[in-house]
Amino acid sequence: MTDRRFTRHPLSFLCGDMDAESFKALVSDIRDQGQLEPIDVVGDEIVDGWHRYRACQLLKLEPNTRVLPEGLELVEYVLGKNAHRRHMTSEQRAAVVMLAAEWMPAHRPAATEKGDTVSPLSNKAAGERAGVSTRTIQRVKAQIRAGHGEALARGSETLRSLAAKARKEAACRARENAAMAGGQQRQERSKVAELRDQVAFLKTEIERKNARITELMEEVERLTLERDELIEGG
């Protein structure tokens, strides 16, 4: 077995990984029958056949590789080999098409002036490639922008499950906001009550002091009269 090592081309990631049982079956099949289908490579990157390559490594077999011709449209090739070959849902196909389209036309992520790398394809063209409606493409694009593209492509999430999670998160945020607002309202009511008590206390103090002032003024008048009487009597 040669020492040449390959890495996985980004397009190969889009269709996800085999589950443990499927990979185990692949290893067993290659052990018994050999590697029947070649591994497609561009340079030192595997475009299609990553799991066959891993199986060969485990079995210490020389992998049978096939160099793809220059100028080959890799996106179309990968989609043709995977998107319809594997048991994918329509949503998975849509996600794979949209993610793969990032590599058009020069096999590297496409970017617009706004830095949007979701897809250079129109919704209609993407829908035709994936065999889905433009509405599904729009929903998939929104989830890709939200960072859920790979989960959709691999089937670990669906548009429905992501929408349910979004609703749950929105409900949690609403409850948290309501609780925060409720806490603020309680604090405000508590502060109002505290201020009301302070005002009532100050009013009582003012009334008490006013009564004392009245008493003192009356005492002054009494003493003044008594003084005047003493002066007149003297």
Side-chain angles (χ1 to χ4, degrees), residues 88-120:
M88 288 188 170
T89 66
S90 58
E91 293 178 2
Q92 284 179 275
R93 291 198 305 274
V96 168
V97 167
M98 300 306 294
L99 291 171
E102 295 180 11
W103 289 84
M104 297 173 65
H107 314 316
R108 59 179 179 271
T112 65
E113 292 180 357
K114 296 181 179 180
D116 181 4
T117 60
V118 169
S119 175

PDB file of all heavy atoms in Angstrom, residues 88-120:
ATOM      1  N   MET A  88     -32.321  10.087  -0.126  1.00  0.00           N
ATOM      2  CA  MET A  88     -32.456  11.440   0.408  1.00  0.00           C
ATOM      3  C   MET A  88     -33.883  11.942   0.266  1.00  0.00           C
ATOM      4  O   MET A  88     -34.577  11.647  -0.716  1.00  0.00           O
ATOM      5  CB  MET A  88     -31.516  12.413  -0.316  1.00  0.00           C
ATOM      6  CG  MET A  88     -30.059  12.229   0.021  1.00  0.00           C
ATOM      7  SD  MET A  88     -29.078  13.557  -0.708  1.00  0.00           S
ATOM      8  CE  MET A  88     -27.507  13.251   0.093  1.00  0.00           C
ATOM      9  N   THR A  89     -34.297  12.732   1.233  1.00  0.00           N
ATOM     10  CA  THR A  89     -35.592  13.384   1.138  1.00  0.00           C
ATOM     11  C   THR A  89     -35.454  14.580   0.200  1.00  0.00           C
ATOM     12  O   THR A  89     -34.352  14.997  -0.160  1.00  0.00           O
ATOM     13  CB  THR A  89     -36.061  13.871   2.518  1.00  0.00           C
ATOM     14  OG1 THR A  89     -35.175  14.909   2.969  1.00  0.00           O
ATOM     15  CG2 THR A  89     -36.070  12.729   3.534  1.00  0.00           C
ATOM     16  N   SER A  90     -36.589  15.141  -0.180  1.00  0.00           N
ATOM     17  CA  SER A  90     -36.559  16.313  -1.059  1.00  0.00           C
ATOM     18  C   SER A  90     -35.842  17.479  -0.373  1.00  0.00           C
ATOM     19  O   SER A  90     -35.121  18.243  -1.030  1.00  0.00           O
ATOM     20  CB  SER A  90     -37.987  16.723  -1.436  1.00  0.00           C
ATOM     21  OG  SER A  90     -38.751  17.013  -0.273  1.00  0.00           O
ATOM     22  N   GLU A  91     -36.018  17.603   0.935  1.00  0.00           N
ATOM     23  CA  GLU A  91     -35.362  18.692   1.669  1.00  0.00           C
ATOM     24  C   GLU A  91     -33.845  18.497   1.676  1.00  0.00           C
ATOM     25  O   GLU A  91     -33.088  19.458   1.541  1.00  0.00           O
ATOM     26  CB  GLU A  91     -35.887  18.762   3.097  1.00  0.00           C
ATOM     27  CG  GLU A  91     -37.339  19.186   3.189  1.00  0.00           C
ATOM     28  CD  GLU A  91     -37.848  19.192   4.621  1.00  0.00           C
ATOM     29  OE1 GLU A  91     -37.050  18.909   5.539  1.00  0.00           O
ATOM     30  OE2 GLU A  91     -39.046  19.476   4.829  1.00  0.00           O
ATOM     31  N   GLN A  92     -33.394  17.244   1.844  1.00  0.00           N
ATOM     32  CA  GLN A  92     -31.963  16.967   1.803  1.00  0.00           C
ATOM     33  C   GLN A  92     -31.387  17.309   0.438  1.00  0.00           C
ATOM     34  O   GLN A  92     -30.328  17.924   0.339  1.00  0.00           O
ATOM     35  CB  GLN A  92     -31.686  15.501   2.127  1.00  0.00           C
ATOM     36  CG  GLN A  92     -31.809  15.148   3.598  1.00  0.00           C
ATOM     37  CD  GLN A  92     -31.534  13.673   3.833  1.00  0.00           C
ATOM     38  OE1 GLN A  92     -32.425  12.841   3.710  1.00  0.00           O
ATOM     39  NE2 GLN A  92     -30.296  13.350   4.161  1.00  0.00           N
ATOM     40  N   ARG A  93     -32.097  16.902  -0.621  1.00  0.00           N
ATOM     41  CA  ARG A  93     -31.616  17.213  -1.974  1.00  0.00           C
ATOM     42  C   ARG A  93     -31.518  18.719  -2.171  1.00  0.00           C
ATOM     43  O   ARG A  93     -30.548  19.226  -2.738  1.00  0.00           O
ATOM     44  CB  ARG A  93     -32.539  16.603  -3.033  1.00  0.00           C
ATOM     45  CG  ARG A  93     -32.492  15.086  -3.107  1.00  0.00           C
ATOM     46  CD  ARG A  93     -33.066  14.591  -4.432  1.00  0.00           C
ATOM     47  NE  ARG A  93     -34.416  15.093  -4.684  1.00  0.00           N
ATOM     48  CZ  ARG A  93     -35.518  14.508  -4.242  1.00  0.00           C
ATOM     49  NH1 ARG A  93     -35.441  13.403  -3.516  1.00  0.00           N
ATOM     50  NH2 ARG A  93     -36.705  15.010  -4.519  1.00  0.00           N
ATOM     51  N   ALA A  94     -32.529  19.451  -1.687  1.00  0.00           N
ATOM     52  CA  ALA A  94     -32.518  20.907  -1.825  1.00  0.00           C
ATOM     53  C   ALA A  94     -31.322  21.508  -1.089  1.00  0.00           C
ATOM     54  O   ALA A  94     -30.636  22.389  -1.620  1.00  0.00           O
ATOM     55  CB  ALA A  94     -33.819  21.491  -1.281  1.00  0.00           C
ATOM     56  N   ALA A  95     -31.050  21.023   0.124  1.00  0.00           N
ATOM     57  CA  ALA A  95     -29.927  21.544   0.890  1.00  0.00           C
ATOM     58  C   ALA A  95     -28.611  21.224   0.206  1.00  0.00           C
ATOM     59  O   ALA A  95     -27.700  22.074   0.146  1.00  0.00           O
ATOM     60  CB  ALA A  95     -29.951  20.970   2.303  1.00  0.00           C
ATOM     61  N   VAL A  96     -28.479  19.998  -0.316  1.00  0.00           N
ATOM     62  CA  VAL A  96     -27.254  19.608  -1.004  1.00  0.00           C
ATOM     63  C   VAL A  96     -27.034  20.476  -2.237  1.00  0.00           C
ATOM     64  O   VAL A  96     -25.922  20.948  -2.498  1.00  0.00           O
ATOM     65  CB  VAL A  96     -27.299  18.114  -1.395  1.00  0.00           C
ATOM     66  CG1 VAL A  96     -26.162  17.777  -2.356  1.00  0.00           C
ATOM     67  CG2 VAL A  96     -27.213  17.248  -0.154  1.00  0.00           C
ATOM     68  N   VAL A  97     -28.095  20.712  -3.009  1.00  0.00           N
ATOM     69  CA  VAL A  97     -27.977  21.550  -4.200  1.00  0.00           C
ATOM     70  C   VAL A  97     -27.527  22.956  -3.825  1.00  0.00           C
ATOM     71  O   VAL A  97     -26.621  23.524  -4.440  1.00  0.00           O
ATOM     72  CB  VAL A  97     -29.316  21.597  -4.964  1.00  0.00           C
ATOM     73  CG1 VAL A  97     -29.294  22.707  -6.011  1.00  0.00           C
ATOM     74  CG2 VAL A  97     -29.589  20.266  -5.637  1.00  0.00           C
ATOM     75  N   MET A  98     -28.154  23.517  -2.809  1.00  0.00           N
ATOM     76  CA  MET A  98     -27.829  24.885  -2.414  1.00  0.00           C
ATOM     77  C   MET A  98     -26.405  24.990  -1.876  1.00  0.00           C
ATOM     78  O   MET A  98     -25.681  25.930  -2.185  1.00  0.00           O
ATOM     79  CB  MET A  98     -28.830  25.384  -1.368  1.00  0.00           C
ATOM     80  CG  MET A  98     -30.273  25.407  -1.834  1.00  0.00           C
ATOM     81  SD  MET A  98     -30.487  26.325  -3.371  1.00  0.00           S
ATOM     82  CE  MET A  98     -30.077  27.968  -2.825  1.00  0.00           C
ATOM     83  N   LEU A  99     -25.999  24.018  -1.066  1.00  0.00           N
ATOM     84  CA  LEU A  99     -24.645  24.042  -0.522  1.00  0.00           C
ATOM     85  C   LEU A  99     -23.600  23.768  -1.607  1.00  0.00           C
ATOM     86  O   LEU A  99     -22.531  24.386  -1.624  1.00  0.00           O
ATOM     87  CB  LEU A  99     -24.507  23.019   0.602  1.00  0.00           C
ATOM     88  CG  LEU A  99     -25.289  23.343   1.889  1.00  0.00           C
ATOM     89  CD1 LEU A  99     -25.262  22.152   2.832  1.00  0.00           C
ATOM     90  CD2 LEU A  99     -24.711  24.570   2.567  1.00  0.00           C
ATOM     91  N   ALA A 100     -23.924  22.841  -2.499  1.00  0.00           N
ATOM     92  CA  ALA A 100     -22.990  22.533  -3.581  1.00  0.00           C
ATOM     93  C   ALA A 100     -22.826  23.724  -4.511  1.00  0.00           C
ATOM     94  O   ALA A 100     -21.741  23.962  -5.052  1.00  0.00           O
ATOM     95  CB  ALA A 100     -23.478  21.320  -4.362  1.00  0.00           C
ATOM     96  N   ALA A 101     -23.893  24.490  -4.674  1.00  0.00           N
ATOM     97  CA  ALA A 101     -23.862  25.624  -5.593  1.00  0.00           C
ATOM     98  C   ALA A 101     -22.903  26.705  -5.116  1.00  0.00           C
ATOM     99  O   ALA A 101     -22.509  27.572  -5.891  1.00  0.00           O
ATOM    100  CB  ALA A 101     -25.263  26.210  -5.753  1.00  0.00           C
ATOM    101  N   GLU A 102     -22.512  26.652  -3.851  1.00  0.00           N
ATOM    102  CA  GLU A 102     -21.513  27.610  -3.367  1.00  0.00           C
ATOM    103  C   GLU A 102     -20.184  27.445  -4.104  1.00  0.00           C
ATOM    104  O   GLU A 102     -19.355  28.349  -4.109  1.00  0.00           O
ATOM    105  CB  GLU A 102     -21.287  27.427  -1.863  1.00  0.00           C
ATOM    106  CG  GLU A 102     -22.495  27.744  -1.001  1.00  0.00           C
ATOM    107  CD  GLU A 102     -22.204  27.538   0.471  1.00  0.00           C
ATOM    108  OE1 GLU A 102     -21.024  27.361   0.822  1.00  0.00           O
ATOM    109  OE2 GLU A 102     -23.157  27.563   1.260  1.00  0.00           O
ATOM    110  N   TRP A 103     -20.005  26.262  -4.693  1.00  0.00           N
ATOM    111  CA  TRP A 103     -18.731  25.987  -5.364  1.00  0.00           C
ATOM    112  C   TRP A 103     -18.792  26.278  -6.860  1.00  0.00           C
ATOM    113  O   TRP A 103     -17.853  25.976  -7.589  1.00  0.00           O
ATOM    114  CB  TRP A 103     -18.328  24.529  -5.123  1.00  0.00           C
ATOM    115  CG  TRP A 103     -17.930  24.344  -3.705  1.00  0.00           C
ATOM    116  CD1 TRP A 103     -18.747  24.115  -2.642  1.00  0.00           C
ATOM    117  CD2 TRP A 103     -16.618  24.458  -3.180  1.00  0.00           C
ATOM    118  NE1 TRP A 103     -18.022  24.067  -1.485  1.00  0.00           N
ATOM    119  CE2 TRP A 103     -16.708  24.269  -1.784  1.00  0.00           C
ATOM    120  CE3 TRP A 103     -15.359  24.693  -3.750  1.00  0.00           C
ATOM    121  CZ2 TRP A 103     -15.594  24.319  -0.955  1.00  0.00           C
ATOM    122  CZ3 TRP A 103     -14.260  24.734  -2.924  1.00  0.00           C
ATOM    123  CH2 TRP A 103     -14.380  24.549  -1.542  1.00  0.00           C
ATOM    124  N   MET A 104     -19.884  26.841  -7.329  1.00  0.00           N
ATOM    125  CA  MET A 104     -19.985  27.191  -8.740  1.00  0.00           C
ATOM    126  C   MET A 104     -19.448  28.616  -8.932  1.00  0.00           C
ATOM    127  O   MET A 104     -19.605  29.473  -8.071  1.00  0.00           O
ATOM    128  CB  MET A 104     -21.447  27.126  -9.183  1.00  0.00           C
ATOM    129  CG  MET A 104     -22.060  25.735  -9.089  1.00  0.00           C
ATOM    130  SD  MET A 104     -23.829  25.772  -9.437  1.00  0.00           S
ATOM    131  CE  MET A 104     -23.803  26.292 -11.155  1.00  0.00           C
ATOM    132  N   PRO A 105     -18.884  28.894 -10.112  1.00  0.00           N
ATOM    133  CA  PRO A 105     -18.617  27.947 -11.198  1.00  0.00           C
ATOM    134  C   PRO A 105     -17.189  27.406 -11.166  1.00  0.00           C
ATOM    135  O   PRO A 105     -16.821  26.577 -11.976  1.00  0.00           O
ATOM    136  CB  PRO A 105     -18.817  28.808 -12.434  1.00  0.00           C
ATOM    137  CG  PRO A 105     -18.328  30.166 -11.984  1.00  0.00           C
ATOM    138  CD  PRO A 105     -18.665  30.273 -10.524  1.00  0.00           C
ATOM    139  N   ALA A 106     -16.353  27.902 -10.244  1.00  0.00           N
ATOM    140  CA  ALA A 106     -14.938  27.527 -10.285  1.00  0.00           C
ATOM    141  C   ALA A 106     -14.548  26.591  -9.150  1.00  0.00           C
ATOM    142  O   ALA A 106     -13.412  26.593  -8.702  1.00  0.00           O
ATOM    143  CB  ALA A 106     -14.077  28.780 -10.231  1.00  0.00           C
ATOM    144  N   HIS A 107     -15.526  25.821  -8.665  1.00  0.00           N
ATOM    145  CA  HIS A 107     -15.273  24.831  -7.617  1.00  0.00           C
ATOM    146  C   HIS A 107     -14.759  25.471  -6.329  1.00  0.00           C
ATOM    147  O   HIS A 107     -13.976  24.885  -5.604  1.00  0.00           O
ATOM    148  CB  HIS A 107     -14.287  23.764  -8.083  1.00  0.00           C
ATOM    149  CG  HIS A 107     -14.598  23.251  -9.440  1.00  0.00           C
ATOM    150  ND1 HIS A 107     -15.871  22.936  -9.843  1.00  0.00           N
ATOM    151  CD2 HIS A 107     -13.802  23.032 -10.512  1.00  0.00           C
ATOM    152  CE1 HIS A 107     -15.842  22.517 -11.107  1.00  0.00           C
ATOM    153  NE2 HIS A 107     -14.613  22.575 -11.528  1.00  0.00           N
ATOM    154  N   ARG A 108     -15.195  26.642  -6.040  1.00  0.00           N
ATOM    155  CA  ARG A 108     -14.873  27.295  -4.773  1.00  0.00           C
ATOM    156  C   ARG A 108     -16.067  28.170  -4.405  1.00  0.00           C
ATOM    157  O   ARG A 108     -16.849  28.544  -5.289  1.00  0.00           O
ATOM    158  CB  ARG A 108     -13.607  28.134  -4.887  1.00  0.00           C
ATOM    159  CG  ARG A 108     -13.659  29.231  -5.936  1.00  0.00           C
ATOM    160  CD  ARG A 108     -12.341  30.015  -5.937  1.00  0.00           C
ATOM    161  NE  ARG A 108     -12.350  31.053  -6.954  1.00  0.00           N
ATOM    162  CZ  ARG A 108     -11.959  30.865  -8.204  1.00  0.00           C
ATOM    163  NH1 ARG A 108     -11.551  29.669  -8.585  1.00  0.00           N
ATOM    164  NH2 ARG A 108     -11.992  31.851  -9.063  1.00  0.00           N
ATOM    165  N   PRO A 109     -16.204  28.513  -3.134  1.00  0.00           N
ATOM    166  CA  PRO A 109     -17.383  29.279  -2.726  1.00  0.00           C
ATOM    167  C   PRO A 109     -17.569  30.548  -3.540  1.00  0.00           C
ATOM    168  O   PRO A 109     -16.641  31.318  -3.750  1.00  0.00           O
ATOM    169  CB  PRO A 109     -17.085  29.622  -1.255  1.00  0.00           C
ATOM    170  CG  PRO A 109     -16.199  28.505  -0.812  1.00  0.00           C
ATOM    171  CD  PRO A 109     -15.338  28.199  -2.002  1.00  0.00           C
ATOM    172  N   ALA A 110     -18.776  30.716  -4.046  1.00  0.00           N
ATOM    173  CA  ALA A 110     -19.096  31.923  -4.795  1.00  0.00           C
ATOM    174  C   ALA A 110     -19.499  33.015  -3.816  1.00  0.00           C
ATOM    175  O   ALA A 110     -20.099  32.756  -2.794  1.00  0.00           O
ATOM    176  CB  ALA A 110     -20.241  31.640  -5.775  1.00  0.00           C
ATOM    177  N   ALA A 111     -19.150  34.263  -4.119  1.00  0.00           N
ATOM    178  CA  ALA A 111     -19.496  35.368  -3.227  1.00  0.00           C
ATOM    179  C   ALA A 111     -20.080  36.513  -4.041  1.00  0.00           C
ATOM    180  O   ALA A 111     -19.653  36.786  -5.157  1.00  0.00           O
ATOM    181  CB  ALA A 111     -18.259  35.842  -2.462  1.00  0.00           C
ATOM    182  N   THR A 112     -21.085  37.166  -3.497  1.00  0.00           N
ATOM    183  CA  THR A 112     -21.665  38.338  -4.128  1.00  0.00           C
ATOM    184  C   THR A 112     -21.052  39.573  -3.495  1.00  0.00           C
ATOM    185  O   THR A 112     -20.231  39.499  -2.590  1.00  0.00           O
ATOM    186  CB  THR A 112     -23.184  38.350  -3.927  1.00  0.00           C
ATOM    187  OG1 THR A 112     -23.453  38.489  -2.522  1.00  0.00           O
ATOM    188  CG2 THR A 112     -23.805  37.058  -4.423  1.00  0.00           C
ATOM    189  N   GLU A 113     -21.458  40.746  -3.975  1.00  0.00           N
ATOM    190  CA  GLU A 113     -20.926  41.987  -3.413  1.00  0.00           C
ATOM    191  C   GLU A 113     -21.274  42.105  -1.935  1.00  0.00           C
ATOM    192  O   GLU A 113     -20.553  42.708  -1.161  1.00  0.00           O
ATOM    193  CB  GLU A 113     -21.480  43.183  -4.184  1.00  0.00           C
ATOM    194  CG  GLU A 113     -20.965  43.258  -5.616  1.00  0.00           C
ATOM    195  CD  GLU A 113     -21.521  44.449  -6.337  1.00  0.00           C
ATOM    196  OE1 GLU A 113     -22.340  45.171  -5.727  1.00  0.00           O
ATOM    197  OE2 GLU A 113     -21.149  44.678  -7.506  1.00  0.00           O
ATOM    198  N   LYS A 114     -22.418  41.529  -1.530  1.00  0.00           N
ATOM    199  CA  LYS A 114     -22.854  41.599  -0.144  1.00  0.00           C
ATOM    200  C   LYS A 114     -22.263  40.477   0.702  1.00  0.00           C
ATOM    201  O   LYS A 114     -22.556  40.372   1.885  1.00  0.00           O
ATOM    202  CB  LYS A 114     -24.384  41.551  -0.072  1.00  0.00           C
ATOM    203  CG  LYS A 114     -25.068  42.738  -0.729  1.00  0.00           C
ATOM    204  CD  LYS A 114     -26.570  42.628  -0.583  1.00  0.00           C
ATOM    205  CE  LYS A 114     -27.254  43.830  -1.232  1.00  0.00           C
ATOM    206  NZ  LYS A 114     -28.735  43.732  -1.094  1.00  0.00           N
ATOM    207  N   GLY A 115     -21.439  39.623   0.079  1.00  0.00           N
ATOM    208  CA  GLY A 115     -20.839  38.531   0.838  1.00  0.00           C
ATOM    209  C   GLY A 115     -21.779  37.373   1.063  1.00  0.00           C
ATOM    210  O   GLY A 115     -21.524  36.514   1.894  1.00  0.00           O
ATOM    211  N   ASP A 116     -22.877  37.310   0.302  1.00  0.00           N
ATOM    212  CA  ASP A 116     -23.842  36.225   0.467  1.00  0.00           C
ATOM    213  C   ASP A 116     -23.359  35.020  -0.321  1.00  0.00           C
ATOM    214  O   ASP A 116     -23.278  35.058  -1.540  1.00  0.00           O
ATOM    215  CB  ASP A 116     -25.207  36.679  -0.054  1.00  0.00           C
ATOM    216  CG  ASP A 116     -26.270  35.605   0.113  1.00  0.00           C
ATOM    217  OD1 ASP A 116     -25.962  34.553   0.696  1.00  0.00           O
ATOM    218  OD2 ASP A 116     -27.402  35.832  -0.339  1.00  0.00           O
ATOM    219  N   THR A 117     -23.007  33.933   0.378  1.00  0.00           N
ATOM    220  CA  THR A 117     -22.500  32.739  -0.303  1.00  0.00           C
ATOM    221  C   THR A 117     -23.510  31.601  -0.272  1.00  0.00           C
ATOM    222  O   THR A 117     -23.159  30.448  -0.403  1.00  0.00           O
ATOM    223  CB  THR A 117     -21.200  32.256   0.356  1.00  0.00           C
ATOM    224  OG1 THR A 117     -21.468  31.942   1.724  1.00  0.00           O
ATOM    225  CG2 THR A 117     -20.127  33.311   0.277  1.00  0.00           C
ATOM    226  N   VAL A 118     -24.805  31.931  -0.085  1.00  0.00           N
ATOM    227  CA  VAL A 118     -25.806  30.868  -0.029  1.00  0.00           C
ATOM    228  C   VAL A 118     -25.937  30.182  -1.375  1.00  0.00           C
ATOM    229  O   VAL A 118     -25.934  28.972  -1.467  1.00  0.00           O
ATOM    230  CB  VAL A 118     -27.158  31.435   0.428  1.00  0.00           C
ATOM    231  CG1 VAL A 118     -28.256  30.394   0.239  1.00  0.00           C
ATOM    232  CG2 VAL A 118     -27.084  31.828   1.889  1.00  0.00           C
ATOM    233  N   SER A 119     -26.031  30.940  -2.442  1.00  0.00           N
ATOM    234  CA  SER A 119     -26.122  30.309  -3.747  1.00  0.00           C
ATOM    235  C   SER A 119     -26.143  31.339  -4.860  1.00  0.00           C
ATOM    236  O   SER A 119     -26.818  32.352  -4.748  1.00  0.00           O
ATOM    237  CB  SER A 119     -27.386  29.458  -3.852  1.00  0.00           C
ATOM    238  OG  SER A 119     -27.514  28.942  -5.167  1.00  0.00           O
ATOM    239  N   PRO A 120     -25.402  31.078  -5.960  1.00  0.00           N
ATOM    240  CA  PRO A 120     -25.503  31.937  -7.131  1.00  0.00           C
ATOM    241  C   PRO A 120     -26.652  31.505  -8.031  1.00  0.00           C
ATOM    242  O   PRO A 120     -26.907  32.125  -9.045  1.00  0.00           O
ATOM    243  CB  PRO A 120     -24.146  31.750  -7.814  1.00  0.00           C
ATOM    244  CG  PRO A 120     -23.779  30.345  -7.490  1.00  0.00           C
ATOM    245  CD  PRO A 120     -24.328  30.095  -6.100  1.00  0.00           C
TER     246      PRO A 120
END
